[in-house]
Amino acid sequence: MKIRFDENQKLFHLSTPNTSYVIKLTRGLYPTHIYWGRKLRSYRWEEREHSLIPTGFSPTPFKDDPHFSFDTLPQEYPGYGTGDYRHPAYQAEMANGTTATELIYEKHRIYSGKSRLEGLPSTYTENDDEARTLELELRDTASGLRVVLSYTVFRDHDAIARSARLINVGPKPLNITRALSMSVDFGHSDFDLLQLPGSWARERNVERGRLRSGTQVAGSSRGASSHHQNPFIALLAPNADEDQGDVYGFSLVYSGNFAAHAEVDQFRSTRVSMGINPFGFKWRLEAGESFQTPEAVLVYSDKGLGGMSRAYHRLYRTRLCRGTYRDRARPVLVNNWEGTYFDFNAEKIMGIAQEASYLGIELFVLDDGWFGKRDDDKSSLGDWFVNRRKLPGGLDALARDVNGLGLRFGLWFEPEMVSVDSELYRAHPDWCLHVVGRRRTEGRNQLILDLSREEVCQYLIESMNGILSSAPISYVKWDMNRHMTEIGSATLPPERQSETAHRYMLGLYRVMETVISQHPDVLFEGCSGGGGRFDPGMLYYMPQIWTSDNSDAVCRLKIQYGTSLIYPISSMGAHVSAVPNHQVHRISSLTMRGDVAMSGNFGYELDLTAMPDEEKAEVKRQVQRYKELRGLIQFGELYRLKSPFEGNDAAWMIVSEDRSEAYVSYYRVLAEPHEQLGRLRLKGLDPDSDYAVEGSVQTVGGDQLMSWGLGIPPGHGDFRSVTWHLRQK
């Protein structure tokens, strides 16, 4: 981990344990991207490496250099209006209405450690020796815009954290209409583009295709990162796969509207940029004010997608997630939602909790319907007081009764929403996002509270703190079940209405920071209709997220596989639900449902009292097995073996950091005649060690397990799974 500046060459060389990133000050003025890839001992600039020779239609701003043009210069933070026609990283509108700007280098600073981003989630260090940071200060003299580009490299992680801070040092206001977090130019376009599209109950599918001329965009303008896209893209060498080849990953630490562009220009060079979605965005900067962009985390791997994923997993698990539960094993839980929906009372809840206690489950979670007059999804959001008709003794009595069974007690909230049929809405109808004179579009019979307003944020903080202090609550599921419409605020002036969506996110982050810091021993889990806000921004506040409302085992193979491209196993909530499954009505075996859910934070989402005795015995066995393995599962290193997007089966394995043990999972979706199941070649083991394989009396060499593999046993019927636990001898 180093950042070196060569004064003679005007070169910045940033290095992580295995990668290098090189920036040159072209003409001593313009930060130019030179190199990003395998680690270099040093970099020597050659003049013939000048930017591409421009065409006749490429403006040449300097008469002394007819070969220089912004149209071809690979800038680190490009603008628009002085000759670069590609997507800019920023745009500023001046008081006279013009937008042409040109940032030039003023100075730089290199320091140990990493600064916090004001009001935003970000990766962090626990001491200054863990990272080095470069700040490049740029300025457009005519407008008074100053931009500070931040680059952090880590001692223990092959990642670069980038962000930008825009400051108005001029005397007049500026309107910022684009403020992305990063931009990187590559000298060619011989890449595949990978992204993670989806929908509700079908999140984070893996989609890979050739990079094309023009612009390809992954993004969201829904007010949340969304089920439909994830704030992540990757460029891959065409030959790259799970284990080899160059991969460049881009991940945004933000939970709101975002855009990730991959643009191929006339010269077949590629520009990747990422940040807050410019669509509908404008931010007014008065003299002396600043705007901080979210953080983008960049990862390069020459070991394929697997190497990229493990780099993200290690960083996000240990230096993005925070708090008491960051390094603590997560409890096995049961959630009553699919077991009862809104139809429950204290007696029913205690019946499920009693079964849970007998089966070895550690946490009971009471889901939607415990507050206000909530008997369906048409009322009471915002009324955070206990429904005494359902729970006559209140939350405290119920939680203590559950605790008396040896279980901890958890609770569901949807703090960001308000029902039209609620005491809160009747008292404060202007507290929701809305535009005067337009309809208030409802989703799931609810509106969204305007978290750009201080008084609304304070109401949520006080309401949640009151509930969390009223009973022994150990876990909170924080849900959000609709996206934004009529994005306006009653308290913002006309010139600031386009700031509403981002101000909402800043308010949400402040509410989360306040509530969570005041209840450090509560395990918070994020949720948004399942995985609709499964992003790095949420992980900064909550170390795990409900991966999808769809808990069907077959669907979850793809959902959890796609999620694992960026996010660690410890971040994924994964539950066993009843059959027929409530989302796709599939009937799969309890064994396969359990084996799939064990590749995450394990739990159940059903009515345990309705299960036959033989299934309860299987649940008890699953719970005990997961408890024995969860330290390995939640904090080991993931290796993907077979993709469910490429065939009829899937497989992955988790290996302990010291390679002393591993847990291997194989899943077969549909039975076929004359099946040839073959062998499963493992990864990540110590080739010089022998391993005892569960179910076998013999030990097998790690080299053999990785080169020859494990034989997959034959079976009958659809929806089968096999798991193995390996221990080093």
Side-chain angles (χ1 to χ4, degrees):
M1 168 205 66
K2 291 181 181 177
I3 298 178
R4 291 168 285 177
F5 178 59
D6 185 323
E7 179 68 43
N8 293 327
Q9 297 189 92
K10 303 296 184 187
L11 280 174
F12 297 93
H13 186 171
L14 293 72
S15 60
T16 72
N18 296 292
T19 72
S20 286
Y21 191 103
V22 181
I23 302 167
K24 178 175 173 59
L25 295 176
T26 300
R27 296 181 66 93
L29 300 174
Y30 305 108
T32 304
H33 181 72
I34 300 300
Y35 176 84
W36 180 26
R38 294 181 184 89
K39 188 170 185 176
L40 306 175
R41 288 184 293 109
S42 62
Y43 189 92
R44 179 63 53 187
W45 171 257
E46 299 180 23
E47 285 304 321
R48 63 184 179 84
E49 297 182 51
H50 204 286
S51 57
L52 291 167
I53 297 175
T55 70
F57 282 86
S58 297
T60 52
F62 301 112
K63 293 185 186 229
D64 64 341
D65 188 353
H67 297 304
F68 180 95
S69 177
F70 293 117
D71 199 19
T72 59
L73 191 69
Q75 298 182 76
E76 282 290 308
Y77 205 68
Y80 178 82
T82 58
D84 189 336
Y85 297 103
R86 295 161 290 182
H87 279 87
Y90 74 96
Q91 278 189 288
E93 180 184 86
M94 283 145 278
N96 62 7
T98 62
T99 59
T101 54
E102 183 179 310
L103 291 173
I104 60 172
Y105 166 84
E106 278 201 331
K107 59 184 177 181
H108 70 270
R109 180 166 76 106
I110 299 172
Y111 61 91
S112 296
K114 183 178 188 293
S115 299
R116 288 182 174 270
L117 301 190
E118 183 179 355
L120 287 165
S122 63
T123 55
Y124 61 89
T125 59
E126 292 188 337
N127 62 72
D128 287 346
D129 294 337
E130 292 184 11
R132 294 278 283 170
T133 297
L134 165 67
E135 288 184 352
L136 293 175
E137 191 167 311
L138 317 177
R139 183 169 179 175
D140 178 64
T141 305
S143 68
L145 176 66
R146 179 177 291 163
V147 175
V148 179
L149 302 181
S150 177
Y151 302 75
T152 295
V153 292
F154 298 88
R155 181 190 64 200
D156 303 319
H157 304 279
D158 283 316
I160 301 172
R162 289 190 57 179
S163 66
R165 189 168 74 256
L166 287 71
I167 309 160
N168 183 2
V169 296
K172 296 180 180 179
L174 294 173
N175 286 323
I176 305 300
T177 58
R178 178 185 294 248
L180 301 185
S181 301
M182 52 73 54
S183 183
V184 174
D185 287 349
F186 296 87
H188 64 91
S189 61
D190 190 19
F191 290 114
D192 288 353
L193 174 66
L194 187 147
Q195 55 187 316
L196 300 175
S199 68
W200 174 79
R202 189 171 49 81
E203 296 91 341
R204 290 172 296 285
N205 280 231
V206 178
E207 188 174 282
R208 176 176 177 173
R210 291 293 289 159
L211 199 58
R212 305 187 304 270
S213 293
T215 302
Q216 294 166 254
V217 183
S220 171
S221 56
R222 307 176 73 92
S225 51
S226 85
H227 306 81
H228 308 86
Q229 293 283 350
N230 197 263
F232 163 84
I233 61 171
L235 295 185
L236 292 75
N239 68 334
D241 56 24
E242 265 299 309
D243 305 306
Q244 60 85 37
D246 292 339
V247 176
Y248 299 86
F250 306 85
S251 175
L252 187 67
V253 187
Y254 189 63
S255 309
N257 296 335
F258 76 94
H261 298 87
E263 179 182 8
V264 177
D265 70 3
Q266 59 181 325
F267 303 103
R268 299 187 181 88
S269 62
T270 303
R271 171 168 290 174
V272 174
S273 55
M274 174 179 274
I276 294 173
N277 197 332
F279 180 79
F281 170 83
K282 183 167 66 175
W283 194 275
R284 185 174 177 85
L285 275 187
E286 299 289 348
E289 290 184 342
S290 65
F291 179 86
Q292 175 64 57
T293 74
E295 181 173 275
V297 178
L298 284 59
V299 166
Y300 163 78
S301 166
D302 63 356
K303 295 179 174 57
L305 283 167
M308 179 204 73
S309 295
R310 287 185 288 278
Y312 274 122
H313 294 177
R314 287 189 290 269
L315 178 66
Y316 283 179
R317 189 177 65 239
T318 64
R319 291 299 181 267
L320 178 66
C321 294
R322 302 176 297 159
T324 304
Y325 282 90
R326 186 191 72 180
D327 304 319
R328 182 183 294 181
R330 314 290 165 73
V332 180
L333 66 82
V334 61
N335 182 301
N336 72 297
W337 176 239
E338 288 193 10
T340 67
Y341 292 106
F342 295 101
D343 186 16
F344 64 83
N345 55 29
E347 182 180 359
K348 179 63 178 178
I349 294 305
M350 287 304 298
I352 297 174
Q354 286 167 354
E355 289 290 350
S357 177
Y358 167 73
L359 297 173
I361 292 170
E362 299 161 309
L363 168 67
F364 175 86
V365 179
L366 178 60
D367 211 280
D368 196 356
W370 58 267
F371 54 92
K373 299 176 181 178
R374 183 86 162 171
D375 293 320
D376 52 35
D377 64 3
K378 295 180 173 61
S379 76
S380 300
L381 286 172
D383 296 344
W384 299 113
F385 52 85
V386 179
N387 184 328
R388 293 280 177 169
R389 180 177 57 81
K390 291 183 180 181
L391 306 175
L395 286 177
D396 185 55
L398 180 64
R400 293 188 186 282
D401 287 345
V402 169
N403 292 165
L405 297 171
L407 281 76
R408 285 178 274 176
F409 181 77
L411 201 59
W412 177 95
F413 283 91
E414 193 171 2
E416 302 162 60
M417 302 295 152
V418 62
S419 301
V420 174
D421 181 10
S422 68
E423 293 184 17
L424 179 63
Y425 187 77
R426 284 185 283 273
H428 300 285
D430 65 324
W431 274 17
C432 65
L433 294 175
H434 67 282
V435 175
V436 174
R438 296 200 176 274
R439 78 166 72 86
R440 299 186 179 190
T441 301
E442 295 178 31
R444 202 175 181 243
N445 306 296
Q446 61 200 48
L447 299 169
I448 304 177
L449 290 172
D450 181 1
L451 299 191
S452 72
R453 298 175 61 166
E454 170 65 27
E455 66 271 33
V456 178
C457 292
Q458 196 58 38
Y459 171 79
L460 290 186
I461 291 169
E462 291 173 2
S463 297
M464 293 196 70
N465 281 343
I467 291 292
L468 294 177
S469 301
S470 72
I473 296 168
S474 301
Y475 164 102
V476 165
K477 180 181 178 183
W478 185 305
D479 209 346
M480 189 276 279
N481 281 312
R482 65 154 295 185
H483 291 153
M484 292 182 181
T485 55
E486 294 87 47
I487 307 174
S489 174
T491 57
L492 289 176
E495 66 272 16
R496 291 192 178 272
Q497 286 296 321
S498 294
E499 301 175 8
T500 304
H502 182 60
R503 287 186 179 276
Y504 177 96
M505 292 311 309
L506 296 177
L508 173 62
Y509 289 148
R510 188 175 71 80
V511 170
M512 287 181 168
E513 181 70 28
T514 304
V515 172
I516 290 168
S517 64
Q518 291 179 11
H519 302 277
D521 295 325
V522 174
L523 171 59
F524 284 82
E525 177 170 294
C527 180
S528 176
R533 216 161 50 182
F534 204 123
D535 59 64
M538 285 294 113
L539 286 182
Y540 181 76
Y541 302 97
M542 305 179 186
Q544 62 188 60
I545 300 172
W546 182 224
T547 314
S548 176
D549 278 347
N550 185 352
S551 50
D552 169 68
V554 175
C555 292
R556 272 300 188 103
L557 293 176
K558 290 184 176 179
I559 293 168
Q560 292 175 202
Y561 187 98
T563 303
S564 77
L565 283 179
I566 323 152
Y567 305 105
I569 291 288
S570 62
S571 69
M572 288 190 244
H575 297 172
V576 176
S577 58
V579 293
N581 171 264
H582 290 198
Q583 289 76 45
V584 298
H585 308 289
R586 195 189 330 268
I587 298 175
S588 57
S589 71
L590 181 56
T591 297
M592 183 175 182
R593 281 177 278 153
D595 287 343
V596 172
M598 282 195 195
S599 294
N601 295 313
F602 187 60
Y604 293 85
E605 190 113 358
L606 41 70
D607 184 355
L608 295 171
T609 66
M611 299 182 81
D613 289 343
E614 61 270 21
E615 289 194 349
K616 290 179 184 177
E618 172 65 10
V619 167
K620 195 168 188 176
R621 185 197 67 79
Q622 289 176 351
V623 170
Q624 182 57 39
R625 181 169 175 80
Y626 186 76
K627 288 179 179 179
E628 294 169 354
L629 293 168
R630 65 179 158 191
L632 167 62
I633 291 171
Q634 293 175 4
F635 303 111
E637 298 221 311
L638 177 71
Y639 291 83
R640 293 180 292 267
L641 307 179
K642 296 179 75 69
S643 170
F645 294 96
E646 297 175 0
N648 189 37
D649 51 6
W652 48 70
M653 62 186 291
I654 303 164
V655 183
S656 63
E657 186 177 358
D658 63 3
R659 299 192 288 179
S660 65
E661 61 176 329
Y663 181 63
V664 185
S665 303
Y666 172 83
Y667 311 95
R668 184 76 163 176
V669 178
L670 297 178
E672 295 179 348
H674 310 297
E675 286 184 314
Q676 293 184 348
L677 294 176
R679 309 186 69 81
L680 196 60
R681 294 172 66 178
L682 307 187
K683 301 175 184 177
L685 302 176
D686 180 357
D688 298 321
S689 294
D690 291 334
Y691 291 85
V693 180
E694 184 178 38
S696 173
V697 296
Q698 296 180 325
T699 60
V700 185
D703 54 350
Q704 179 178 325
L705 290 166
M706 292 189 289
S707 298
W708 178 235
L710 283 172
I712 301 170
H716 301 287
D718 300 334
F719 318 131
R720 307 198 309 269
S721 60
V722 185
T723 64
W724 297 266
H725 185 200
L726 281 61
R727 291 183 182 274
Q728 195 177 66
K729 297 300 286 186

